[in-house]
Amino acid sequence: MEQMSRNLAFQLKKIRQQRQLSLDDVAKATGVSKAQLAQIEKGEANPTVSTIWKIAAGMRTSFSSLLQAPTAHFMKYSSKDAPRVDEDEGRYRVYSIIPYNPDRGWELYRIEMEPGAFSRSEAHTEGVEETVTVIQGQANISAGEMHELLEEGDTLVFSGHQPHEYKNTSEKLTILHLILQYK
């Protein structure tokens, strides 16, 4: 968690300064308080997944770019070193495996969901597509009128610009790979 906080602090401040925005400007754009943003930039806060999504949406940047350390011309990604954000009292864990890069237009996450884990995500910006593959276990995914039960090996592609939910109703750990594609 400490590395994730340092990365988030660095990336948020870097983006804010590049765009010549004040903390007030960022607070207005994201709906996150100026005080919380200041704590995040100092590495003194552990924001929720929802708060990081608000910042990403308001700053019009990707979730994973806020969590990643600066990258070189090549990178080897290891899930054991990936920044992690917890939700649902630690039962829902999101690992940013491959951060967003404008040349690729996508980012990759690993999600671990304990039995009964639940996550609700607000709508992403228009044009965001989610591709979810169940690596282990099963997941119930809802978005708008869609409600799908995915089992091991299943893949679901849906529009992320609507509120959506992920839930593990099984008795086992569920592991997902999630690709967010930005168009």
Side-chain angles (χ1 to χ4, degrees), residues 146-161:
M146 178 206 66
H147 305 283
E148 293 290 331
L149 172 63
L150 301 180
E151 297 186 1
E152 198 166 304
D154 289 345
T155 298
L156 177 68
V157 179
F158 66 95
S159 173
H161 74 277

Side-chain angles (χ1 to χ4, degrees), residues 7-8 11-12 15 52 55-56 61-68:
N7 292 350
L8 179 58
Q11 294 295 353
L12 177 58
I15 292 168
I52 298 170
I55 294 169
T61 191
S62 73
F63 182 95
S64 67
S65 67
L66 291 172
L67 302 179
Q68 296 295 327

Side-chain angles (χ1 to χ4, degrees), residues 2-112:
E2 287 181 25
Q3 184 62 46
M4 186 277 300
S5 293
R6 283 193 298 271
N7 292 350
L8 179 58
F10 174 84
Q11 294 295 353
L12 177 58
K13 188 171 186 176
K14 178 179 134 189
I15 292 168
R16 185 176 64 77
Q17 289 176 340
Q18 285 174 340
R19 296 179 186 177
Q20 299 179 339
L21 299 172
S22 68
L23 283 174
D24 283 326
D25 296 332
V26 176
K28 288 175 190 168
T30 64
V32 177
S33 74
K34 178 181 173 181
Q36 186 173 15
L37 290 168
Q39 287 181 320
I40 291 169
E41 279 196 6
K42 293 177 187 174
E44 297 172 351
N46 288 316
T48 65
V49 171
S50 298
T51 299
I52 298 170
W53 275 118
K54 285 181 183 179
I55 294 169
M59 298 296 290
R60 298 198 179 275
T61 191
S62 73
F63 182 95
S64 67
S65 67
L66 291 172
L67 302 179
Q68 296 295 327
T71 59
H73 294 290
F74 68 92
M75 289 292 294
K76 175 184 175 185
Y77 300 97
S78 171
S79 60
K80 69 179 180 198
D81 298 326
R84 179 178 114 185
V85 179
D86 294 350
E87 197 158 290
D88 192 13
E89 299 177 357
R91 298 182 317 150
Y92 182 89
R93 299 176 293 276
V94 178
Y95 299 84
S96 176
I97 305 298
I98 301 177
Y100 177 76
N101 178 310
D103 294 331
R104 276 194 305 268
W106 58 267
E107 56 195 336
L108 173 68
Y109 297 94
R110 173 187 170 99
I111 299 173
E112 295 178 354

